[in-house]
Amino acid sequence: MAARLSGGENRLVSLPLSRIRVIMKSSPEVSSINQDALFLTAKATELFVQYLATYSYKHGRGKEKNALTYSDLSHTAEECETFQFLADILPKKILASKYLKMLEKEKRDGEVGEDEEDDEEEEDEDKAVDEDVGS
């Protein structure tokens, strides 16, 4: 099998095995990597990426534009249960101005929420004082 993995026209995987080895070795649990495990990981990764791209193309606007876009991939990650684990990696793109508005709104909502918490604490203290005075 090692002969098949050594580049050339009949290459069985298109991802660079050296990069995959580096990624696999970055895990502290991995001390050595079998050549077969490396090959199978590379092939499985290729098949997964191919499936994600095909699914995104078919279910996105790719057919209309005859192209696969980032928004097709992010929509797939958000909507398809199979790919939901990718939602953090492939978030929907938003404009910086929209993001800043969202931050401002969260900040205002947070301040309102804090004010409400302070009011509740003051009411609790007032009740405690009233109970102490009444007893």
Side-chain angles (χ1 to χ4, degrees):
M1 182 173 288
R4 285 191 229 151
L5 296 176
S6 61
E9 296 174 359
N10 298 330
R11 192 169 175 154
L12 297 175
V13 292
S14 55
L15 295 174
L17 296 176
S18 60
R19 296 283 180 127
I20 293 172
R21 182 186 313 276
V22 168
I23 293 169
M24 291 173 75
K25 282 191 171 186
S26 69
S27 175
E29 294 90 29
V30 176
S31 58
S32 65
I33 300 167
N34 181 329
Q35 194 69 15
D36 291 337
L38 180 64
F39 171 76
L40 291 174
T41 302
K43 196 64 181 172
T45 303
E46 282 184 22
L47 292 173
F48 172 76
V49 170
Q50 182 180 16
Y51 179 65
L52 172 63
T54 303
Y55 187 93
S56 298
Y57 180 81
K58 286 181 180 176
H59 294 88
R61 287 183 254 155
K63 288 181 189 175
E64 300 166 9
K65 298 179 181 179
N66 202 23
L68 179 64
T69 63
Y70 179 88
S71 62
D72 294 334
L73 293 169
S74 65
H75 180 74
T76 298
E78 190 174 297
E79 300 299 323
C80 180
E81 189 175 328
T82 304
F83 298 111
Q84 290 224 334
F85 72 98
L86 295 172
D88 292 339
I89 298 168
L90 293 168
K92 286 204 180 266
K93 285 187 175 180
I94 61 172
L95 296 174
S97 58
K98 284 186 180 180
Y99 180 71
L100 292 173
K101 287 178 184 176
M102 285 174 39
L103 286 177
E104 288 175 12
K105 183 180 179 196
E106 285 180 11
K107 194 173 184 179
R108 277 186 273 131
D109 291 347
E111 289 173 358
V112 170
E114 290 173 6
D115 291 342
E116 290 174 3
E117 289 175 10
D118 291 342
D119 293 342
E120 289 175 9
E121 289 176 8
E122 289 174 7
E123 288 176 13
D124 291 342
E125 289 174 7
D126 292 342
K127 287 181 185 176
V129 170
D130 289 343
E131 289 174 1
D132 289 341
V133 172
S135 44

